[in-house]
């Protein structure tokens, strides 16, 4: 580690607590500036070290364990909201900044980054790496629709930017799209610009029960296709319980009040205002992400519930999260791959005990894998960024 | 195809325009193969009637909506199905010959400008709407399908396709995908990239792949996200799965007259600042209004220094509230006349002036350049003042039409090419406006694309490393550099090269035999 020894960034020996999904690194680097990130990566390249980037570490075990991890690049000290321009509805923050801090800063001007913090503690970088989205996906889109510019440090340490700080911009390839959801295998995000939305003057959840997820199809269809423009339509279901459909209305005080009446008329009198709290992933040691065309969401949810999963997700976007403990994962996954494929989507294991993950193909079939491998070869020719964590062993 | 250019967007003979073909040829990493060989291959494998080789017919395709760059291609393939496209690209790949894809040819940055020693693949005959599924909010369409036809097919079912570029009556969905097209309503609804879920793509190596799924978040890298807006440099789409948007229950449109662009800008800020996200906020200045009046008699408020067109849509109860607030903000910021369009006919009348603006400028000037730049919206009045100063200093008139809500400016730089030197002056002012956008942290293009026209400006917006890194994506898709070469990036990256800063280790070190000190 000759090159690494000569750098300015803070280095320390790794401990067991730094293990990435069971793989223990030898060293942890804690850069405090983008230049230090660049320096660490350049040194790691010279020393041919494998690197896993870490923010809060809240989703570090997601995906496959890395085949090798010499160095953990800890970005938690790269935490700063750089620029908030309320008049332009944009904010930028460094990768290690907790999402909650960003929200706090922009909320002072009645704004928000319209994405749910499904995993408490998530940083900006972790959000981008894992492409998580919750109920607001329906109204505001996902991470891919909210990031307007990104700066990354390449595997060789070079800093590169794409996009910018204006929402409307078609100059150059939209590299951010490739980085979003890449699980730290292409490059290291150092900062990002996001577009913001105003916090609505009024918001209200309404919920209604259905005997089962499968029988919620009609309610979901009515809510999703309503001209009442729900900001979210969620389904949650678990074995042995009725399913719940939740609809979020947001807008002006008087507008929301009137629309509550209309949605209740549409879905039935048992549809009632409810306080749902912050959106979170369902609990369980095994976590799956299931995607589906809108008309098959109820069916896919039911299939997961029948296999023992608790499910919650956006029926308005077609993205579900399922969680369970103690299930036959290979069997369940095969069944859910069938169900989601028939529904125009996919089933991915986000997280599970390491040994269990090794018994299945966590990512499943992927369209365009050959090109993905070539993208990886371009950005990380030595395959040193979390090798093996991503699709097809990337 | 040339008759499709209903808007004479530009003078055919602007002086001083660089020859993009020369640029691309000198910068190529390796020499191209023989287009004659491709022609021979395709004569053997494609129907004769879809191959165009005679010079007169080829001339039809020498430019797109940006008329002052013209190159006659060696061969045009009028593909009728996806297999024709694949066959044509595969032949180009086999012979290492450049190809350019073209939809309706309405692009404004020369993205579909042909290559003289290459093949132009026209997808406008692939025009079937394969499915419309309101229950899934999806439609699957061929790339040649016209943007507006998607909405027409979906509207009876209560849906529409949200991206609405001004050319939506003639531009194709394939072109929208290539350019990541916007439109007046992307302020609220987002650009093409938000509304495309999957494409069948013929890669530059001639292989057919499907990127994305009907559902969002297909596993793996978001290659689709990179392809949308890549201006035909990463492959050719042969099928597109789009998102359909529920038609709003209510739409209301306000036309507000102001004494000055500053007042109209202040009203825009007040509206956005109050937490409303209108479907659209459009602004026109006095010169643009004069042109629109001359062309379509839109009857905008007399004596206005600027007009705003503000549209809100959604549930009736929300629209009512927001609209009242918007009217208030306009009045409070000096609007002296306001008109409300309450039905489709009145709305069309309000929009007529705005939508005709580019073409209308032809009524007040023999020649003009349509510019497309973006600034942070809050810099609007500052930048407009500078444009006014530039215009006065150089004696070049500039009409301003823009998407005020998102800071996307479309200055129309007027000139008379029959007067010596005016073309050059107009080019200079047009370039200076882009510099202004960059000074304020903006972009050199918000929706027209980089194409042939603005590749030279890319180094002002991005560092050499930025550009090099972005082009790694290109190398993954198109290592031979044959897909629409010379567009977007001024200097192609040599795909065999390894990234600049990486040093090869000593062989002994690589073998684990030595440490380097």
């Amino acid at each position: 580690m000759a090159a690494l020894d000569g750098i300015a960034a803070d280095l320390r020996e790794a401990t067991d607590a730094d293990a990435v999904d069971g793989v223990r690194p030898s060293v942890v680097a804690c850069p405090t500036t983008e230049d230090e990130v660049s320096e660490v990566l350049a040194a790691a390249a010279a020393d041919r070290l494998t690197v896993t980037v870490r923010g809060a570490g809240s989703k570090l075990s997601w995906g496959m364990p890395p085949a090798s991890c010499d160095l953990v690049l800890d970005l938690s000290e790269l935490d700063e909201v750089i620029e908030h321009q309320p008049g332009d509805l944009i904010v930028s923050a460094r990768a290690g900044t907790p999402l909650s801090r960003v929200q706090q800063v922009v909320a002072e001007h009645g704004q928000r980054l319209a994405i749910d913090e499904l995993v408490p503690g998530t940083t900006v970088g972790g959000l981008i790496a894992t492409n998580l989205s919750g109920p607001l996906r329906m109204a505001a889109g996902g991470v891919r629709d909210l990031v307007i510019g990104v700066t990354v440090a390449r595997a060789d340490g070079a800093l590169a930017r794409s996009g910018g700080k204006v929402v409307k911009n078609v100059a150059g390839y939209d590299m951010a799209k490739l980085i979003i959801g890449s699980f730290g295998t292409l490059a290291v995000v150092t900062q990002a610009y996001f577009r913001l939305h105003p916090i609505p003057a009024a918001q209200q959840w309404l919920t209604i029960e259905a005997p089962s997820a499968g029988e919620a199809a009609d309610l979901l269809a009515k809510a999703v296709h309503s001209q009442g423009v729900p900001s979210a339509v969620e389904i949650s279901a678990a074995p042995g319980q009725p399913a719940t459909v939740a609809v979020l209305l947001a807008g002006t005080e008087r507008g929301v009040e009137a629309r509550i009446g209309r949605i209740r008329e549409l879905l039935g009198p048992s549809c009632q205002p409810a306080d749902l709290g912050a959106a979170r992933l369902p609990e369980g040691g095994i976590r799956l992400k299931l995607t589906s065309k809108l008309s098959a969401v109820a069916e896919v949810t039911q299939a997961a519930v029948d296999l023992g999963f608790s499910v919650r997700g956006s029926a308005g976007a077609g993205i579900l999260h399922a969680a369970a403990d103690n299930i036959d994962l290979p069997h369940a996954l095969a069944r859910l791959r069938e169900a989601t494929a028939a529904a125009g989507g996919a089933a991915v294991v986000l997280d599970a005990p390491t040994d269990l993950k090794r018994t299945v193909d966590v990512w499943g079939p992927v369209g365009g894998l050959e090109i993905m491998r070539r993208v990886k070869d371009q950005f990380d020719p030595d395959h040193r960024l979390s090798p093996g964590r991503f699709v097809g062993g990337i | 195809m040339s008759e499709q250019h209903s808007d004479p967007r530009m003078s055919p003979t602007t002086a001083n325009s660089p020859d993009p073909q020369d640029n691309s040829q000198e910068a190529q990493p390796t020499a191209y193969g023989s287009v004659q060989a491709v022609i021979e291959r395709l004569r053997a494998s494609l129907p004769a009637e879809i191959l165009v080789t005679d010079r007169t017919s080829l001339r039809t395709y020498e430019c797109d909506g940006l008329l002052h760059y013209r190159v006659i291609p060696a061969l045009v393939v009028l593909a009728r199905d996806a297999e024709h496209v694949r066959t044509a690209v595969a032949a180009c790949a086999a012979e290492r010959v450049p190809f350019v894809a073209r939809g309706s040819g309405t692009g404004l940055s020369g993205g579909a400008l042909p290559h003289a020693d290459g093949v132009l693949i026209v997808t406008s005959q692939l025009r079937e709407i394969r499915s419309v599924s309101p229950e899934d909010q999806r439609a699957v369409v061929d790339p040649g399908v016209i943007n507006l036809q998607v909405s027409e097919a979906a509207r009876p079912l209560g849906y529409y396709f949200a991206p609405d570029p001004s050319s939506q009556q003639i531009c194709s969905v394939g072109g929208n995908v290539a350019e990541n097209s916007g439109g007046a309503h992307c302020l609220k609804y987002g650009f093409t990239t938000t509304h495309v879920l999957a494409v069948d793509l013929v890669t530059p190596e001639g292989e057919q792949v499907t990127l994305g799924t009907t559902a969002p978040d297909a596993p793996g890298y978001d290659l689709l996200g990179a392809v949308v807006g890549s201006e035909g440099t990463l492959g050719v789409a042969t099928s597109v799965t789009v998102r359909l948007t529920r038609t709003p229950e209510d739409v209301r449109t306000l036309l507000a007259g102001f004494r000055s662009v500053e007042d109209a800008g202040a009203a825009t800020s007040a509206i956005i600042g109050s937490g409303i996200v209108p479907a659209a906020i459009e602004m026109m200045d006095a010169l643009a209004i004069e042109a629109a009046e001359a062309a379509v008699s839109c009857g905008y408020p007399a004596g206005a220094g600027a007009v705003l067109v503000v549209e809100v849509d959604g549930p009736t109860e929300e629209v009512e509230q927001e609209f009242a607030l918007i009217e208030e903000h306009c009045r409070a910021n000096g609007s002296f006349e306001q008109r409300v369009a309450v039905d489709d006919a009145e709305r069309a009348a309000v929009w007529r002036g705005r939508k005709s603006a580019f073409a209308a400028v032809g009524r007040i000037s023999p020649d003009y350049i349509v510019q497309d730049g973006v600034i942070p919206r809050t810099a609007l009045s500052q930048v407009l003042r500078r444009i006014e100063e530039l215009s006065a200093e150089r004696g070049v008139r500039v009409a301003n039409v823009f998407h005020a809500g998102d800071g996307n400016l479309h200055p129309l730089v007027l000139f008379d090419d029959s007067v010596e030197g005016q073309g050059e002056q107009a080019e200079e002012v047009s370039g200076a406006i882009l510099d202004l956008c960059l000074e304020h942290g903006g972009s050199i293009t918000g929706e027209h694309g980089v194409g042939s026209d603005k590749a030279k400006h890319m180094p002002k917006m991005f560092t050499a490393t930025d550009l090099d890194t972005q082009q790694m994506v290109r190398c993954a898709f198109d290592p031979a550099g044959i897909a629409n070469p010379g567009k977007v990036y001024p200097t192609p990256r040599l795909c065999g090269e390894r990234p600049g800063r990486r040093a090869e280790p000593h062989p002994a070190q690589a073998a684990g035999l030595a440490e380097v000190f």
Side-chain angles (χ1 to χ4, degrees), chain A:
Chain A
M1 298 195 192
L4 202 61
D5 290 341
I7 66 171
D10 200 26
L11 294 176
R12 66 169 171 81
E13 241 173 76
T15 69
D16 284 346
D18 296 309
V20 180
D21 210 3
V23 182
R24 189 178 156 167
S26 45
V27 62
V28 177
C30 303
T32 55
T33 64
E34 285 188 279
D35 285 340
E36 284 184 7
V37 174
S38 168
E39 187 190 28
V40 170
L41 284 167
D47 290 339
R48 307 187 79 99
L49 303 178
T50 48
V51 177
T52 290
V53 62
R54 180 175 77 191
S58 60
K59 299 176 288 295
L60 200 59
S61 61
W62 288 21
M64 283 301 282
S68 159
C69 175
D70 300 319
L71 182 147
V72 161
L73 181 56
D74 182 335
L75 296 188
S76 58
E77 288 182 40
L78 204 70
D79 62 335
E80 184 192 2
V81 174
I82 305 166
E83 181 184 9
H84 173 219
Q85 294 292 348
D88 295 319
L89 289 155
I90 59 140
V91 70
S92 65
R94 300 199 197 281
T97 316
L99 178 58
S100 57
R101 174 113 43 89
V102 177
Q103 300 289 25
Q104 214 180 337
V105 169
V106 303
E108 283 170 24
H109 290 87
Q111 298 177 354
R112 67 177 177 186
L113 175 50
I115 198 124
D116 302 278
E117 189 169 338
L118 291 190
V119 178
T122 294
T123 60
V124 162
L127 180 71
I128 291 172
T130 55
N131 185 27
L132 262 193
S133 64
L136 289 177
R137 179 74 179 252
M138 184 182 182
V143 181
R144 79 194 296 280
D145 303 301
L146 298 169
V147 170
I148 57 173
V150 71
T151 304
V152 299
R154 300 193 316 210
D156 64 357
L159 291 168
R161 183 175 67 86
S162 81
K165 57 190 269 189
V166 286
V167 173
K168 205 168 178 185
N169 179 9
V170 294
Y173 294 153
D174 193 350
M175 211 168 62
K177 296 281 195 293
L178 285 175
I179 302 296
I180 293 164
S182 66
F183 282 74
T185 62
L186 278 186
V188 176
V189 175
T190 59
Q191 60 165 284
Y193 272 93
F194 296 90
R195 70 175 297 186
L196 300 171
H197 286 82
I199 296 174
Q203 301 195 65
Q204 183 62 56
W205 281 101
L206 299 170
T207 58
I208 182 169
E209 283 190 356
S212 69
E215 289 163 277
D218 188 45
L219 288 173
L220 292 179
K222 280 181 178 162
V224 167
H225 303 288
S226 158
Q227 283 182 317
V229 190
S231 291
V233 176
E234 294 279 293
I235 182 164
S236 62
Q241 293 174 21
T244 303
V245 171
V247 177
L248 176 65
L249 296 173
T252 61
E253 298 278 354
R254 277 166 58 190
V256 167
E257 208 179 296
R259 288 153 68 207
I260 289 173
R262 288 171 53 187
I263 294 289
R264 292 186 63 190
E265 212 167 285
L266 184 72
L267 301 185
S270 64
C271 178
Q272 291 293 333
D275 182 7
L276 289 197
R280 295 283 187 249
L281 292 178
E283 286 301 324
I286 299 170
R287 296 185 192 279
L288 268 57
K289 177 172 178 174
L290 309 172
T291 59
S292 161
K293 62 183 179 186
L294 301 186
S295 62
V297 164
E299 207 177 308
V300 169
T301 305
Q302 186 65 57
V305 169
D306 290 346
L307 290 161
F309 287 95
S310 299
V311 181
R312 169 153 188 198
S314 171
I319 299 172
L320 302 166
H321 289 100
D325 293 297
N326 306 318
I327 51 143
D328 177 356
L329 183 60
H331 164 75
L333 193 55
R335 174 69 197 92
L336 288 172
R337 291 247 153 93
E338 253 171 64
T340 51
V348 164
V349 181
L350 291 178
D351 199 13
T354 311
D355 291 343
L356 190 55
K357 279 195 281 194
R358 294 192 194 278
T359 66
V360 295
D361 174 3
V362 301
W363 295 103
V366 175
L369 184 58
E370 201 35 55
I371 302 175
M372 290 178 196
R373 288 190 198 288
R374 285 152 58 166
V375 170
K376 170 75 171 178
D377 288 344
Q378 285 289 326
F379 280 82
D380 178 19
D382 302 323
H383 296 196
R384 289 181 304 95
L385 298 180
S386 293
R389 191 180 187 187
F390 201 49
V391 297
I394 286 175

Side-chain angles (χ1 to χ4, degrees), chain B residues 42 79 83 141 151 153 160 188 191 208 255 265-266 275 294 323 336 365 434 437 463:
Chain B
L42 293 180
E83 187 51 25
V141 305
S151 289
Y160 72 109
K188 180 172 179 181
F191 324 98
Q208 184 79 248
L255 175 73
F323 201 76
F336 63 90
S365 175
L434 283 189
C437 292
T463 68

Side-chain angles (χ1 to χ4, degrees), chain A residues 1-3 38-39 42 45-48 85-89 109 111 131 133 137-139 141 144-145 152 154 156-175 177-183 185-186 195 197-199 224-229 250-259 262 289 291-296 316-319 343-348 363-382 384 390-391 394, chain B residues 134-138 159 179-180 182-184 186-188 190-191 193-194 196 201 203 205 209-211 213-226 228-231 233-234 246-249 272 275-277 314-318 321-322 372 374-379 403 406 408 410 440-450 458 461-463 465-466 468-479 488-489 493 495 497-502 504-505 509-510 515-517:
Chain A
M1 298 195 192
S38 168
E39 187 190 28
D47 290 339
R48 307 187 79 99
Q85 294 292 348
D88 295 319
L89 289 155
H109 290 87
Q111 298 177 354
N131 185 27
S133 64
R137 179 74 179 252
M138 184 182 182
R144 79 194 296 280
D145 303 301
V152 299
R154 300 193 316 210
D156 64 357
L159 291 168
R161 183 175 67 86
S162 81
K165 57 190 269 189
V166 286
V167 173
K168 205 168 178 185
N169 179 9
V170 294
Y173 294 153
D174 193 350
M175 211 168 62
K177 296 281 195 293
L178 285 175
I179 302 296
I180 293 164
S182 66
F183 282 74
T185 62
L186 278 186
R195 70 175 297 186
H197 286 82
I199 296 174
V224 167
H225 303 288
S226 158
Q227 283 182 317
V229 190
T252 61
E253 298 278 354
R254 277 166 58 190
V256 167
E257 208 179 296
R259 288 153 68 207
R262 288 171 53 187
K289 177 172 178 174
T291 59
S292 161
K293 62 183 179 186
L294 301 186
S295 62
I319 299 172
V348 164
W363 295 103
V366 175
L369 184 58
E370 201 35 55
I371 302 175
M372 290 178 196
R373 288 190 198 288
R374 285 152 58 166
V375 170
K376 170 75 171 178
D377 288 344
Q378 285 289 326
F379 280 82
D380 178 19
D382 302 323
R384 289 181 304 95
F390 201 49
V391 297
I394 286 175
Chain B
E135 68 281 10
D136 294 319
Q137 304 185 345
R138 297 290 184 269
Y159 285 83
E179 301 296 317
N180 188 15
C186 59
L187 176 63
K188 180 172 179 181
F191 324 98
T193 188
T194 308
V196 172
L201 186 82
T203 71
E205 295 185 320
V209 295
T210 299
L211 305 179
T213 52
T214 307
D217 291 359
Y221 299 135
D222 185 1
L223 299 177
L224 175 65
V228 177
S230 64
E231 306 193 22
T233 62
L234 302 181
R246 188 74 170 95
T247 45
E249 180 178 60
I272 300 267
I276 299 171
V277 182
T316 304
E317 303 90 339
E318 299 289 354
Q321 301 273 312
E322 294 185 344
D372 168 41
V374 188
I375 53 169
R377 203 182 37 71
T378 47
H403 309 299
D406 42 27
N408 186 188
H410 290 308
H440 287 84
S443 170
I444 57 169
T445 171
E447 53 186 8
H448 294 175
V450 178
M458 286 289 276
M461 185 163 165
F462 294 107
T463 68
T465 308
D466 295 341
D468 191 55
T469 307
Q470 291 175 28
Q471 287 192 90
M472 289 178 174
V473 180
R474 168 79 178 261
C475 290
F477 279 83
D478 180 25
V488 188
Y489 294 98
R493 179 171 203 274
C495 294
E497 267 184 348
R498 294 209 135 184
R501 291 176 55 170
R502 190 179 162 277
E504 282 295 325
Q509 184 204 16
E515 289 283 344
V516 176
F517 294 99

